[in-house]
Amino acid sequence: MFQLTATPASALADEPVHIQVTGLSPLQLVTLTASLKDEKGNVYQSKAFYKANEVGELDLMRAPACGGDYVGVHPMGLFWSLKPQKGFRRLLKKDVMNSPFWVTLNLYDSVCFQDLIIGEPMASQVVQRWFSAPGVQRVQIREGRVRGALFLPPGEGPFPGVIDLFGGGGGLIEFRASLLAAHGFAVLALAYFAYEDLPNLLQEIDLEYFEEAANLLLAHPKVRTPGIGVISVSKGAEIGLAMACFLKQVVATICINGPNAIYEFPLRYKDLVITPIPSFLERMQYDISGSLRLRHYRGDPQDELSQQSVLPIEKAQGPILFVVGENDECSNSRKYAEQALHQLWSHGRNNGRMLLYPGAGHLIEPPYAPLCYACPNKNYSCFLLWGGDPVAHAAAQEHSWGEILKFLRQHLIQSRKL
């Protein structure tokens, strides 16, 4: 009797699943597939070929895949190798509170090379991947100018506060904030354009808006004072680094694949205006898929004329963690992080650290999320190239998430006890 088990069958999206098969013939070749449908109806699929051991069992913790979407021992390979059935897409959970992603695992006899597998599976198992834990609350935020969603862990608190910022696509993205809340943080997923009554297009970075958000978060009775953390990616990481430089409320900052200077739009804070470094449209490139590569089109912060646009990172009060994908095709993130660290060291500061991941792309997200190599971008009316090798990117996501949680706990929880 064939049996396919996935444990736990219901868990947070950043938790690993242990997949096992019993009842096979000794050394039998099989195909394992995974599939899910997102909230827009887009289908994502993956598959891998495995060989049972001498007693007809298969344990993905130990057994190597011998082909398919990956090879080697990858216990969560069926999850991070999920690919959209139609074109480039980013798998993004919108409703983080009320429903999980439902992932269907199927076991097939023999090796199935075709994309469309015909016939019934030998065994199936459905796995729920949640982005929120029981007891986590979501509070819609519409206070003053601030727009977003606040996620609160169960209990009285107070909890360490974090602001979560995404990039140049705009809108409100909540899945990382809700996951962090499941790990004990009070997290404000903050929108800053293209959401509700906020400006539809980003034309400047008004740092006073982000200061208002920081003060709002710190004023909540369930949020621990006196300081908060920021986790940020891409354009959001540019803003996150500026917050670290100018806002006393920010005591710990995570910048994922972002610049060390102001680009594209001016930054304003009280009487201060930082003008952006120019970008050069002629440096844009297209890869073989027709996706737009932005890695080289921005001006260099090291140029003499760009110095007024470089953020004064030496003014940051707290520690800064730079998470960098070396295969980032959207931003020269390694160069920017190295320049920022050099700037800190040249001012006698040692509060910066870089996690560098060879083969990882731009969108480094919580673990087991599939690589988004490219996807549509409304700002450029084309596919935008993010980059990344699936195996290396998956490893980077798993390792960096553990380091991010450790960093936030160390600097928002343990340091407050000293």
Side-chain angles (χ1 to χ4, degrees):
M1 185 69 175
F2 306 118
Q3 187 170 14
L4 169 64
T5 59
T7 311
S10 178
L12 285 174
D14 63 350
E15 293 182 42
V17 175
H18 188 189
I19 300 172
Q20 296 172 284
V21 181
T22 56
L24 299 171
S25 302
L27 307 180
Q28 182 178 351
L29 280 169
V30 296
T31 299
L32 278 170
T33 69
S35 64
L36 72 79
K37 187 179 291 187
D38 71 9
E39 290 147 318
K40 293 183 177 180
N42 299 306
V43 175
Y44 293 75
Q45 298 172 314
S46 65
K47 66 180 174 183
F49 312 134
Y50 284 92
K51 180 185 286 189
N53 63 14
E54 290 81 359
V55 294
E57 296 176 348
L58 191 58
D59 185 339
L60 268 59
M61 293 284 286
R62 294 187 291 270
C66 46
D69 290 323
Y70 56 91
V71 294
V73 179
H74 296 287
M76 290 293 289
L78 288 168
F79 292 82
W80 56 249
S81 68
L82 285 163
K83 300 182 300 301
Q85 196 176 54
K86 295 181 180 179
F88 292 123
R89 292 283 187 279
R90 180 182 180 187
L91 183 60
L92 201 62
K93 191 74 175 75
K94 296 288 189 179
D95 179 5
V96 297
M97 296 298 293
N98 300 307
S99 65
F101 276 141
W102 300 81
V103 182
T104 300
L105 302 173
N106 284 327
L107 172 71
Y108 293 91
D109 190 7
S110 76
V111 174
C112 306
F113 291 105
Q114 297 88 353
D115 287 337
L116 183 63
I117 298 175
I118 300 173
E120 291 297 313
M122 301 159 62
S124 294
Q125 176 77 27
V126 177
V127 175
Q128 297 180 28
R129 306 294 283 166
W130 287 91
F131 288 80
S132 181
V136 169
Q137 289 180 280
R138 180 190 184 276
V139 181
Q140 188 75 36
I141 299 297
R142 297 185 183 94
E143 295 188 33
R145 294 188 298 162
V146 179
R147 301 292 180 267
L150 175 62
F151 293 88
L152 296 168
E156 291 302 311
F159 307 105
V162 178
I163 286 178
D164 188 3
L165 294 170
F166 277 84
L172 182 62
I173 299 177
E174 304 178 19
F175 68 88
R176 189 169 60 195
S178 59
L179 273 180
L180 285 171
H183 289 279
F185 300 93
V187 188
L188 173 58
L190 184 61
Y192 53 99
F193 76 103
Y195 180 73
E196 292 191 348
D197 58 351
L198 295 173
N200 194 43
L201 297 174
L202 188 62
Q203 296 178 316
E204 69 173 18
I205 298 168
D206 178 4
L207 205 58
E208 290 184 53
Y209 172 81
F210 299 91
E211 185 173 43
E212 185 179 338
N215 288 333
L216 185 151
L217 182 59
L218 279 168
H220 196 283
K222 287 193 175 184
V223 174
R224 180 176 296 175
T225 58
I228 61 166
V230 174
I231 182 169
S232 52
V233 62
S234 195
K235 188 67 176 180
E238 178 183 320
I239 297 168
L241 195 59
M243 293 172 71
C245 296
F246 295 111
L247 304 186
K248 66 181 185 302
Q249 299 92 332
V250 176
V251 298
T253 310
I254 299 161
C255 297
I256 304 170
N257 286 328
N260 62 321
I262 298 302
Y263 282 99
E264 292 153 339
F265 314 104
L267 178 141
R268 300 180 187 275
Y269 182 56
K270 298 179 179 176
D271 296 328
L272 173 70
V273 178
I274 301 179
T275 56
I277 294 176
S279 298
F280 301 90
L281 295 177
E282 67 272 18
R283 295 183 187 173
M284 289 184 175
Q285 302 169 317
Y286 290 90
D287 86 330
I288 194 169
S289 72
S291 301
L292 183 62
R293 176 186 287 114
L294 298 181
R295 182 183 177 98
H296 303 293
Y297 101 112
R298 297 180 180 91
D300 190 341
Q302 289 186 313
D303 291 345
E304 187 175 343
L305 294 176
S306 300
Q307 292 309 297
Q308 79 282 354
S309 305
V310 175
L311 288 165
I313 187 174
E314 66 277 2
K315 293 183 178 180
Q317 299 179 76
I320 303 170
L321 179 65
F322 296 95
V323 179
V324 175
E326 205 165 10
N327 199 16
D328 181 354
E329 295 288 10
C330 186
S331 176
N332 201 345
S333 303
R334 176 176 181 172
K335 182 178 181 179
Y336 300 143
E338 287 175 342
Q339 289 177 13
L341 292 174
H342 178 76
Q343 189 174 334
L344 284 174
W345 296 331
S346 68
H347 284 82
R349 306 291 306 280
N350 63 352
N351 55 321
R353 181 164 68 100
M354 176 172 66
L355 296 173
L356 180 64
Y357 295 103
H362 186 70
L363 294 177
I364 296 177
E365 303 192 318
Y368 319 125
L371 168 69
C372 178
Y373 184 75
C375 69
N377 185 280
K378 61 184 178 183
N379 296 329
Y380 296 94
S381 301
C382 65
F383 289 99
L384 201 57
L385 188 66
W386 306 116
D389 167 77
V391 176
H393 193 85
Q397 292 189 149
E398 187 168 2
H399 182 267
S400 65
W401 187 244
E403 292 298 306
I404 284 167
L405 293 174
K406 190 188 307 180
F407 177 86
L408 292 174
R409 288 177 181 135
Q410 178 182 351
H411 298 294
L412 297 180
I413 301 175
Q414 294 171 12
S415 62
R416 301 279 80 81
K417 296 177 181 177
L418 300 179

